[in-house]
Amino acid sequence: MVAPSEKQRVVVTGMGVLTSVGIGIDKYWNSILAGKSGITDVSRFDASEGYSCKVASEVRDFVPEDFIDPKEVKRNDRYTQFAVAGSKLAVEDAKLDVESLDKERFGVIMASGIGGMETIEKQSHTLFEKGPRRVSPFMIPSLISNIAAGVVAIEWGAKGPNYGIVSACASGTHAIGEAFNALRSGKADIMMAGGSEAAITRLGFAGFCSMKAMSTQSNDEPQKASRPFDSKRDGFVMGEGAGVLILETLEHAQARGAKIYCELVGYAATCDAYHITSPDTEGSGLALCLKNVLEDADLKPEDVDYINAHGTSTPYNDKFETIAIKKVFGEHAKNGLRVSSTKSMIGHLLGAAGAVETAACAKAIETGKIPPTINYEDPDPDCDLNYVPNKMEEKNVRVAINNNLGFGGQNACLALKLFE
């Protein structure tokens, strides 16, 4: 165990991303900088009748066999396929020679808010139509939410810390934060961390539609459906995909001559303890999380240049998140601080959201460019921050924070900093 005064510095050295606007970090980043939306009509099932929402953010060009042996494709749910693909893209981006690693000091923490929803749906049909003996023996290991972490670890031989995290839409951020803790406390030298989700199925969609949580007013204009902080927002758009980051201790990264995107300097997790789905109306749970992440990172509010907001495009989330940000950042929230929601372009990836959004923070620091919040056309008086409307902004980003909130009142924040 490393003493508190001897905490290891942790850096981001690789990123693998799969979203509706691109597979691979460069395609993803260039698309969101350009304000490209990946939201279209649902294609994974027929949503034309019975579903109030008919749009989604799907990874349409994903071919699992490009990343995984065909036999393993059949044995694993789509969410695990995404996770494995994300890990391979991250290893490639990090130029990582996995065989040279100390596998006992190499860990994997992967998150998913829901897990193998497609497997549950398919095997339920098999049970009801053909009987219990026809249910696949791979059903249980395919659907459980920790299996992505296990399969990714098997793929790379990673024998260090390994588990799955389930905290709804905060899952991906919690996974990265816990990997960060493992590294800075000396329990590992290198970690893969992130989230994966593939819940765009008939059952998953029906559940969220019944909650009246998803957008319904833009079924004829899918790319307009996700409009965070806009006064006409009416719900989120479900997305799918994965984000996997390679995190290393600074010593380990420098020893192998790795490219460093940025430094990870803070992590915090809190709970609203308020309601199973609604955020705290005073934003106090997220405000505490933001306060704690600044303290953990030894930062002042005015040090932060950019926040990638949770920004789901639901009436409650965006209002209460704005309240929380103003509570913590005060006048800086209205002046120098920039806030944007990349969900306006890629929808809400649920348990994978935090991972792809943390990747956006890392790229903002690396490039000095902040992705926009598209569809921001009618300002809401309750949402009065600088949301980088519709076009990306060039700005020197030294410190960025990623926010994510989950059902159950769970909050997670990460702080990233320019590596010096």
Side-chain angles (χ1 to χ4, degrees):
M1 178 69 72
V2 177
S5 61
E6 301 174 351
K7 285 183 180 179
Q8 297 288 315
R9 294 175 69 183
V10 177
V11 293
V12 178
T13 59
M15 296 185 283
V17 175
L18 297 93
T19 72
S20 62
V21 297
I23 292 177
I25 187 62
D26 291 335
K27 288 183 179 179
Y28 162 65
W29 180 242
N30 291 334
S31 293
I32 62 173
L33 280 186
K36 177 182 177 182
S37 173
I39 298 170
T40 59
D41 295 333
V42 175
S43 70
R44 294 197 58 76
F45 61 92
D46 184 3
S48 61
E49 294 185 13
Y51 291 90
S52 56
C53 178
K54 306 178 191 302
V55 303
S57 181
E58 302 172 338
V59 186
R60 294 197 176 200
D61 52 352
F62 176 62
V63 180
E65 289 81 6
D66 289 346
F67 300 93
I68 308 167
D69 181 271
K71 289 183 180 179
E72 293 303 313
V73 169
K74 293 179 180 179
R75 294 174 178 176
N76 286 291
D77 189 89
R78 183 172 171 88
Y79 102 94
T80 300
Q81 295 168 11
F82 281 154
V84 173
S87 76
K88 291 191 173 181
L89 291 167
V91 165
E92 180 181 357
D93 183 54
K95 296 180 172 56
L96 187 63
D97 178 9
V98 176
E99 293 310 310
S100 69
L101 300 178
D102 179 350
K103 301 295 182 66
E104 294 183 0
R105 304 277 301 167
F106 175 23
V108 178
I109 301 178
M110 291 296 299
S112 183
I114 296 177
M117 176 66 80
E118 190 171 62
T119 295
I120 294 171
E121 191 169 298
K122 287 181 177 179
Q123 293 303 313
S124 293
H125 280 289
T126 298
L127 172 65
F128 297 137
E129 294 173 3
K130 299 179 181 179
R133 293 186 179 181
R134 298 295 296 275
V135 170
S136 170
F138 295 105
M139 185 195 78
I140 297 298
S142 182
L143 68 86
I144 52 180
S145 297
N146 73 303
I147 205 66
V151 172
V152 169
I154 291 168
E155 178 69 33
W156 301 108
K159 298 181 179 180
N162 182 282
Y163 49 95
I165 285 183
V166 181
S167 50
C169 305
S171 301
T173 303
H174 280 140
I176 296 169
E178 292 304 321
F180 169 55
N181 279 342
L183 289 164
R184 65 175 171 175
S185 65
K187 295 177 181 176
D189 297 325
I190 182 166
M191 297 287 294
M192 284 182 177
S196 181
E197 205 77 84
I200 302 177
T201 71
R202 289 175 293 175
L203 182 60
F205 233 67
F208 279 117
C209 283
S210 293
M211 290 180 65
K212 298 182 172 18
M214 294 200 292
S215 174
T216 60
Q217 67 185 11
S218 298
N219 286 329
D220 295 331
E221 294 182 284
Q223 295 186 348
K224 296 268 189 184
S226 184
R227 42 196 323 112
F229 306 108
D230 186 89
S231 65
K232 295 182 179 178
R233 67 191 184 276
D234 75 319
F236 81 91
V237 174
M238 190 185 292
E240 64 174 3
V244 179
L245 275 62
I246 303 293
L247 308 178
E248 303 181 54
T249 64
L250 176 59
E251 181 180 3
H252 189 273
Q254 289 180 328
R256 71 176 188 88
K259 171 187 173 179
I260 294 174
Y261 280 103
C262 62
E263 185 172 0
L264 189 53
V265 292
Y267 165 56
T270 64
C271 185
D272 291 352
Y274 172 76
H275 190 272
I276 59 170
T277 57
S278 173
D280 181 352
T281 58
E282 298 300 319
S284 59
L286 177 58
L288 177 62
C289 202
L290 285 165
K291 176 179 175 290
N292 289 351
V293 79
L294 290 173
E295 183 177 338
D296 190 49
D298 194 22
L299 294 169
K300 299 175 182 177
E302 57 268 27
D303 293 330
V304 180
D305 301 297
Y306 170 55
I307 293 178
N308 188 299
H310 192 54
T312 58
S313 187
T314 61
Y316 284 163
N317 175 91
D318 297 3
K319 176 181 177 179
F320 302 152
E321 185 172 13
T322 298
I323 290 172
I325 290 170
K326 289 195 290 188
K327 278 187 174 183
V328 175
F329 290 90
E331 285 301 310
H332 182 57
K334 295 184 177 181
N335 298 321
L337 184 65
R338 301 295 187 268
V339 178
S340 73
S341 173
T342 44
K343 289 183 179 73
S344 60
M345 296 167 279
I346 61 171
H348 191 353
L349 274 63
L350 308 178
V356 299
E357 291 160 11
T358 300
C361 288
K363 289 295 290 184
I365 291 170
E366 181 201 27
T367 64
K369 296 178 180 179
I370 297 176
T373 305
I374 68 167
N375 298 320
Y376 186 76
E377 298 166 346
D378 297 285
D380 181 346
D382 290 328
C383 299
D384 55 352
L385 303 180
N386 185 334
Y387 302 112
V388 191
N390 302 310
K391 292 184 180 181
M392 73 90 173
E393 179 179 334
E394 294 194 19
K395 179 179 173 62
N396 182 27
V397 180
R398 293 180 57 82
V399 176
I401 285 178
N402 183 53
N403 286 345
N404 285 107
L405 294 72
F407 284 175
Q410 296 171 336
N411 308 295
C413 295
L414 292 167
L416 300 91
K417 188 176 181 180
L418 181 70
F419 172 68
E420 297 175 312

